[in-house]
Amino acid sequence: MAVNIVVPSVGESISEGTVAQWLKKDGDFVRADEPVLELETEKATTPVSAPASGRLVVAAKEGQAVKIGQVVGRVEEGAAPPEKGADAKPQTAPAEEPKGEVLLSPAARHHAAETGVDATRLTGSGRGGRVLKEDVLAQAEKKPTEAKPQAAPAKPRETRQRMSSIRQRIAERLVAAQHSAAILTTFNEADLSAVIALRTKYKDAFQKKHGVGLGFLPFFVKACVEALHAFPAVNARLDGADVVYHDYCNVGVAVSTERGLMVPVLRDAQEMSFAAIEKKVAELADKARQGKIAVDDLQGGTFTITNGGVFGSLLSTPLLNAPQAGILGMHAIRKRPVAVDDQVVIRPMMYLALSYDHRLIDGREAVGFLTRVKECVESPERLMLDV
């Protein structure tokens, strides 16, 4: 009896995917619930397990586009697993035919040494195949022509590779975001002296107590939560002619992976502590980079934070993660001269960028949001005291 392997449903908005790779070969014995292939969709890569134990029959090729519910293979039940050592019969190497000794005349041997001709490769014209002087000289005349180096074939100067399903979807969403929203970006800068001092003072105690390091991201997540409460339009989305306001903050955090940019979501970030944010971000980022992230981990975001600073970016204009109306861009920290109390001092500064949908958010709200984020990270005690 054969049991079909079908493409599973991996999300409400996903109708197709691509067979990324088969983890087992056609004809292999597989066990029930053992992963046999990886399905790549527009959001993530999902393992698909065998529905029963038996012999695997592959019906869809790697790289093939498939629909949800489509049969991509089957498992033939009743097939027994191969016994150990069943295929371990020693192979007897074919015996090589003995090669006869090449006969050289004394003159042939002398001229071969002078001309550098390998006389053992010659077919002699003498009696019994004996190599004569004439054979060696004839080969010596041919040698310069034969030894002339040939030009190496030209190397291809371009390669062609099909975009992955995830990369295609990313491209579609980015283009759609630019075409469907009135995207505008406003900028500010923040002095991170206080955050750096706080991290330096408590990083060891934080690590010891919570088992994770204290980075910059939790400060910005908490600052954005405060700003989203103060300016709820930045946390909203458009649905036709309606504005949908969210009473919660599901903050997406952009993560770069080999498969492309992914945005795992911190659900109810307004209720998370610094330690909870660090642990959850580390967990989601690790799953994303290993290709094990679930579709649910990538859905439901209301606002996004992206940090180009980890790659050295000093300034950028991030694109919206539709249907969200706002995205905060963090950047590299650089020591720069700034004016403080009419004095020029050197401070660790970061440029901040807020891209927003101008159809929903006015400049006053966007600037106010970014100013609130700046105030919170420059005075992190605000985040502790809720002021």
Side-chain angles (χ1 to χ4, degrees):
M1 178 179 176
V3 182
N4 288 334
I5 303 173
V6 299
V7 179
S9 176
V10 291
E12 293 182 1
S13 62
I14 299 175
S15 60
E16 63 181 7
T18 302
V19 178
Q21 66 171 328
W22 283 95
L23 305 177
K24 296 290 184 178
K25 294 182 294 185
D26 186 61
D28 281 356
F29 179 84
V30 297
R31 300 190 182 278
D33 300 324
E34 178 182 10
V36 293
L37 71 92
E38 287 186 347
L39 177 71
E40 186 179 77
T41 68
E42 63 192 44
K43 291 189 177 290
T45 299
T46 304
V48 178
S49 300
S53 298
R55 187 174 67 88
L56 174 66
V57 177
V58 172
K61 298 179 180 179
E62 292 184 354
Q64 179 178 332
V66 292
K67 301 288 186 181
I68 300 302
Q70 180 177 333
V71 176
V72 292
R74 66 181 185 274
V75 175
E76 295 182 346
E77 294 183 292
E83 296 181 5
K84 292 183 178 179
D87 299 325
K89 294 181 180 180
Q91 300 290 329
T92 303
E96 294 185 1
E97 297 182 2
K99 296 181 180 179
E101 183 178 357
V102 177
L103 300 177
L104 300 176
S105 69
R109 191 182 304 278
H110 172 75
H111 285 285
E114 285 189 345
T115 60
V117 171
D118 185 0
T120 62
R121 295 181 177 274
L122 300 180
T123 300
S125 60
R127 179 179 296 179
R130 188 181 184 87
V131 177
L132 304 178
K133 176 184 72 174
E134 291 79 4
D135 300 324
V136 175
L137 294 177
Q139 180 64 24
E141 292 178 358
K142 298 178 182 179
K143 187 177 179 183
T145 302
E146 293 179 353
K148 185 178 180 180
Q150 298 182 356
K155 294 182 180 180
R157 300 180 65 182
E158 61 181 28
T159 57
R160 185 182 297 270
Q161 182 177 357
R162 184 174 179 81
M163 291 175 69
S164 66
S165 296
I166 292 178
R167 176 55 65 184
Q168 291 182 52
R169 183 56 176 165
I170 290 172
E172 292 171 1
R173 288 174 63 88
L174 292 177
V175 172
Q178 288 184 305
H179 287 175
S180 62
I183 303 177
L184 191 61
T185 305
T186 185
F187 303 95
N188 210 323
E189 61 180 352
D191 181 349
L192 296 190
S193 298
V195 168
I196 292 174
L198 198 62
R199 290 181 65 242
T200 302
K201 183 176 181 179
Y202 293 108
K203 65 179 182 180
D204 292 338
F206 188 90
Q207 173 77 43
K208 184 177 181 180
K209 181 175 181 178
H210 301 291
V212 290
L214 178 59
F216 290 98
L217 186 60
F219 291 93
F220 283 90
V221 171
K222 300 291 281 186
C224 284
V225 166
E226 291 298 317
L228 291 173
H229 285 156
F231 300 92
V234 184
N235 196 42
R237 62 181 171 86
L238 280 178
D239 184 10
D242 297 331
V243 179
V244 181
Y245 293 94
H246 303 106
D247 296 329
Y248 53 89
C249 299
N250 286 354
V251 179
V253 179
V255 176
S256 178
T257 74
E258 291 183 357
R259 293 179 172 87
L261 189 70
M262 294 186 181
V263 188
V265 177
L266 300 174
R267 299 186 183 278
D268 291 314
Q270 74 279 1
E271 298 177 2
M272 299 179 73
S273 65
F274 278 65
I277 292 172
E278 283 286 11
K279 290 178 180 179
K280 192 63 177 178
V281 168
E283 173 194 334
L284 292 172
D286 186 58
K287 289 170 63 177
R289 294 187 177 111
Q290 292 185 24
K292 298 179 180 179
I293 197 158
V295 174
D296 287 345
D297 294 328
L298 303 170
Q299 293 181 331
T302 61
F303 183 79
T304 295
I305 298 175
T306 181
N307 185 6
V310 296
F311 304 110
S313 173
L314 190 62
L315 193 62
S316 67
T317 55
L319 288 178
L320 292 179
N321 184 18
Q324 298 170 23
I327 180 171
L328 178 76
M330 298 169 56
H331 298 92
I333 301 172
R334 293 286 186 268
K335 290 185 176 181
R336 297 198 300 271
V338 294
V340 178
D341 297 329
D342 294 330
Q343 298 292 323
V344 177
V345 295
I346 304 298
R347 293 292 177 86
M349 305 297 293
M350 176 191 286
Y351 286 120
L352 303 176
L354 175 72
S355 290
Y356 60 97
D357 190 343
H358 207 353
R359 298 176 302 165
L360 177 60
I361 303 167
D362 291 332
R364 179 187 65 83
E365 295 168 296
V367 172
F369 174 92
L370 205 52
T371 299
R372 180 63 173 168
V373 171
K374 168 185 170 71
E375 291 171 349
C376 287
V377 296
E378 288 189 339
S379 302
E381 62 273 11
R382 288 174 174 266
L383 302 175
M384 318 297 179
L385 301 177
D386 192 22
V387 295

